[in-house]
Amino acid sequence: MPCEDCLSRREFLTRSTVAVAGAAALAAGCGDGQFGPTGLRQTNTGVSLKVASLPELATVGQLVKIPVQTGLIAVKRTGPASFAAISTVCTHQGCEVNINSGAFICPCHDARYDNNGRVTAQPVRTTGSATDLPTYTTRYDASTDILTIS
Ligand code: FES
C-alpha cells in the first residue's frame, strides 16, 4: 500500500543530520507488514526489526535510532537476549534529543539523559524541567532474531 506519510518521513530523514539506521526501510516496509531491505517492519502496533540488520545492536549498551510511525526511537541491547527502547522526544518541550557518547543530549536547552533515558541534567537558560524519557515494551525472539517494540 502506498504510504505518502512514509515518503515524507523518508525525505525528512534524508535531509536530517541525524544518523538514523534503517531510513531506507521506511518506504519499502512502511505500513505493509513486510520487512524492508534494512530489516525494519512497521505495524499498526509498533515496529519489528531483524537485530542482525543493525550492526550497532551487536554491542551491549550502544544506542541506535530507528524510525517508527511517530518519528524516531532509540534502541539498545541490554544483554545477550534483551533490549530497551527509549523515546527520543525531550520531555521538557519536545525537541528531538541527540545521541552523544552513549547518552542523550537535547539540542534545545541542553537537558541531558543517561543511556537509560534518566535525566542527568535539567534544561538551562529556560524555565520548566525535564523528566525521564519514556520507554517502550520490547520482546525479543532469539530463534528468529526479531525484536518487537510496542
Ligand atoms: S526541549 Fe529539551 S531541554 Fe528544552
Side-chain angles (χ1 to χ4, degrees):
M1 175 171 96
C3 179
E4 291 179 19
D5 181 48
C6 294
L7 294 175
S8 65
R9 275 189 282 126
R10 184 173 63 175
E11 252 182 48
F12 166 76
L13 292 172
T14 300
R15 294 177 185 172
S16 172
T17 58
V18 176
V20 178
L26 284 174
C30 183
D32 61 6
Q34 302 297 311
F35 283 101
T38 57
L40 290 173
R41 177 177 63 192
Q42 305 286 340
T43 68
N44 290 336
T45 58
V47 63
S48 295
L49 62 93
K50 295 179 182 175
V51 171
S53 68
L54 296 174
E56 298 91 339
L57 292 179
T59 305
V60 171
Q62 187 166 344
L63 292 163
V64 59
K65 285 186 178 180
I66 65 166
V68 295
Q69 295 287 351
T70 56
L72 301 170
I73 61 171
V75 178
K76 73 172 183 177
R77 181 183 285 268
T78 58
S82 60
F83 295 84
I86 305 165
S87 170
T88 58
V89 178
C90 181
T91 57
H92 176 233
Q93 291 181 0
C95 293
E96 177 75 22
V97 297
N98 297 320
I99 295 172
N100 186 310
S101 299
F104 300 98
I105 299 176
C106 181
C108 292
H109 308 107
D110 209 28
R112 292 166 188 255
Y113 305 85
D114 67 15
N115 79 353
N116 294 310
R118 292 190 206 103
V119 175
T120 58
Q122 289 293 333
V124 296
R125 303 175 308 276
T126 185
T127 59
S129 60
T131 58
D132 295 347
L133 297 172
T135 58
Y136 300 92
T137 300
T138 61
R139 189 177 66 253
Y140 179 62
D141 183 341
S143 67
T144 59
D145 193 37
I146 292 176
L147 174 65
T148 302
I149 302 167
S150 55

